[in-house]
Amino acid sequence: MSDSLTRYRQLEALERRDEILDVNPAVLYVESVRGCPYSCAMCAVRGTDPHRISRDVLRRLEPYYPDLEVLAVQGSGEPLLGDLEYFVEKAAAHDIVLHINTTGFFLTRRMAELLLAARLSVRFSIHAGRSDTYHRIMGGDFRRVLENIAYLIDLADRSPQEQDFWFSYLVMKENLDEIEEFLQLAHACGIRSVRFMRLRPNRRTARGVVLPERDFRFKHVEQSNRAVLSAFRQRLPRYRSLAGELGIRIESGTMDTPGRDRSTAEWLVDGAARKIVGRRLHPLRRRRGRCVAPWIGQLIVGQDASVKLCCVMHDRLGNLRDSTLGDLWNSETARRIRRAFAEGFIPRECGFCRGFGLANYPRNAFPEADRAEGREGLIVAQRADVPSSSGRTHLTVHE
């Protein structure tokens, strides 16, 4: 973890909206793995060979680890297939929160024991409440995944470190009627936080994916549309009531954020525009908004050593083989984006993103976050705690 003086300087730079930063980023995302052999219906890289990021790229990042608060190992693939020993070692050595976004397919008991040497924030993608639906959407063994997650959380409960585990649920037509069962399963695993997310299109799902071995056809416009969104919002009070009874927080996710998302048609047009003119065309109107990422960091480091400012932006700041991370952190592109946000506007590069708040970072990161948010008035997700449940239910997977 960055020492208190470094973290204070990072938060002060955010409060002042400095254009040029004299402090390193606090949050770094690394494309640890590209590719996944599994076949989740909505995934753009399903059924591909996994490739790990090279140690050469990682060595270029190591001078910046001492100032990090969060090191996220993610990317277009399954991070549990990456060089976990390396990332756990570095996170433990510098007391960094190691953030992982995973399906949990490859989680084992031995891996769970390895991971708990670090301070963890793990988002498990669990997009069903029943095993048959999970198999159609994800292609995995629901019972085995949940049992291994429960084992990890049982170990974490006995760990002296503060850990952060939560379930993510992509809401779609196929799983809309299973959300209450999903909440019950989250409770049984020991999960105390969930987020409901909108399904995003990709080239495969826009055309439609056929999975004959699972007798399943998956097309984005059929699975995610206004009817699905409307039904979810109508039922949300019921979900919140059940979650409260179970001691589960429903945190801010993209299903309950106001405003308009990019449509599938706009997504397709923007994809073509990036190839032709090198930038998005949408949204057409300039929008007001705020974001902490240009000051705190959500830098994305790809396997090719490229660096982007966050996961939404396609424009690159540069490449670590040509520049240091510190130089890219204060590049002209980064400074221009800071200027736009300092003036209260969302840059076009951000697309339809509504901005990133400190509350979107792992719950066990940034001990001063609440004080900083109150001081500088960011619009962020509310982190209202709910009473802990008196105990778990028996883990039962509905067939």
Side-chain angles (χ1 to χ4, degrees):
M1 176 177 65
S2 56
D3 61 44
S4 58
L5 178 59
T6 299
R7 190 165 56 236
Y8 178 79
R9 289 173 61 207
Q10 290 164 334
L11 293 171
E12 284 295 303
L14 166 64
E15 183 180 7
R16 294 190 304 263
R17 297 299 194 273
D18 293 344
E19 179 181 324
I20 300 176
L21 303 182
D22 62 356
V23 65
N24 290 325
V27 180
L28 191 62
Y29 281 56
V30 177
E31 188 184 21
S32 59
V33 175
R34 180 179 295 171
C36 179
Y38 263 80
S39 56
C40 298
M42 60 285 182
C43 183
V45 298
R46 63 185 182 84
T48 57
D49 294 331
H51 298 280
R52 294 183 175 185
I53 193 169
S54 73
R55 285 292 182 96
D56 174 63
V57 175
L58 294 175
R59 279 192 292 271
R60 297 169 192 267
L61 300 175
E62 289 180 1
Y64 301 90
Y65 289 163
D67 292 336
L68 287 183
E69 182 72 12
V70 178
L71 174 61
V73 289
Q74 304 199 116
S76 302
E78 171 51 66
L80 294 187
L81 296 176
D83 194 350
L84 285 182
E85 291 82 1
Y86 171 89
F87 292 111
V88 169
E89 176 190 348
K90 298 302 180 183
H94 298 287
D95 193 21
I96 303 168
V97 173
L98 183 62
H99 177 55
I100 300 172
N101 178 16
T102 176
T103 61
F105 290 155
F106 301 96
L107 182 64
T108 63
R109 296 194 169 198
R110 181 178 177 183
M111 187 180 294
E113 292 159 6
L114 166 68
L115 289 170
L116 284 171
R119 191 158 48 113
L120 295 176
S121 171
V122 184
R123 176 174 72 175
F124 291 103
S125 298
I126 306 292
H127 308 316
R130 304 169 191 160
S131 60
D132 56 343
T133 306
Y134 185 85
H135 180 69
R136 280 198 304 278
I137 296 173
M138 309 284 283
D141 185 335
F142 202 23
R143 183 181 297 277
R144 181 178 59 81
V145 168
L146 293 177
E147 286 176 350
N148 286 331
I149 292 172
Y151 178 78
L152 171 65
I153 295 173
D154 280 337
L155 288 182
D157 287 343
R158 300 192 290 271
S159 168
Q161 300 199 83
E162 182 185 1
Q163 311 289 10
D164 176 38
F165 302 108
W166 45 289
F167 276 0
S168 175
Y169 195 93
L170 281 173
V171 178
M172 58 190 86
K173 179 181 178 182
E174 194 71 15
N175 62 19
L176 181 62
D177 295 331
E178 301 177 14
I179 291 178
E180 287 166 298
E181 291 161 286
F182 159 76
L183 290 171
Q184 293 283 359
L185 288 172
H187 171 68
C189 288
I191 291 290
R192 295 290 171 258
S193 178
V194 301
R195 296 183 190 181
F196 294 104
M197 313 298 290
R198 294 191 193 185
L199 186 68
R200 305 298 184 197
N202 58 59
R203 289 180 179 82
R204 288 184 171 185
T205 61
R207 293 192 302 265
V209 174
V210 177
L211 300 167
E213 73 281 3
R214 306 202 300 252
D215 192 24
F216 187 41
R217 179 181 180 272
F218 188 96
K219 192 170 185 179
H220 181 267
V221 294
E222 296 171 356
Q223 292 292 335
S224 181
N225 49 53
R226 289 183 181 178
V228 172
L229 178 60
S230 176
F232 173 83
R233 287 178 171 167
Q234 289 176 4
R235 301 174 193 180
L236 187 56
R238 195 169 78 206
Y239 303 149
R240 292 193 182 280
S241 176
L242 175 59
E245 294 173 8
L246 297 173
I248 294 175
R249 294 177 294 269
I250 297 182
E251 299 203 30
S252 179
T254 54
M255 283 296 291
D256 61 353
T257 50
R260 185 176 72 85
D261 273 342
R262 182 171 50 167
S263 69
T264 303
E266 287 168 332
W267 176 84
L268 292 170
V269 169
D270 282 349
R274 283 199 305 272
K275 292 181 179 179
I276 298 170
V277 299
R279 63 179 179 86
R280 290 186 175 104
L281 296 180
H282 297 95
L284 298 177
R285 294 182 179 179
R286 198 179 190 193
R287 300 176 303 134
R288 288 194 170 272
R290 299 182 178 187
C291 184
V292 304
W295 287 272
I296 298 299
Q298 201 197 54
L299 290 176
I300 309 294
V301 179
Q303 292 199 356
D304 58 356
S306 63
V307 179
K308 298 188 294 184
L309 192 58
C310 76
C311 58
V312 172
M313 291 191 177
H314 293 278
D315 294 359
R316 298 180 177 185
L317 300 180
N319 193 287
L320 292 176
R321 295 194 173 97
D322 303 319
S323 306
T324 68
L325 189 70
D327 288 340
L328 297 177
W329 183 225
N330 278 308
S331 65
E332 176 53 36
T333 299
R335 291 165 58 189
R336 175 171 50 77
I337 289 168
R338 290 188 193 112
R339 285 197 300 270
F341 276 116
E343 294 168 0
F345 290 99
I346 300 176
R348 181 181 296 276
E349 293 92 336
C350 298
F352 287 96
C353 180
R354 300 178 183 88
F356 210 74
L358 286 169
N360 294 108
Y361 293 116
R363 292 178 61 86
N364 53 347
F366 295 105
E368 298 91 345
D370 290 340
R371 176 172 59 82
E373 288 165 6
R375 187 172 65 242
E376 51 117 31
L378 286 174
I379 301 173
V380 296
Q382 205 48 38
R383 280 181 162 176
D385 289 330
V386 296
S388 296
S389 174
S390 58
R392 299 181 192 172
T393 58
H394 178 69
L395 178 59
T396 302
V397 181
H398 297 279
E399 301 296 343

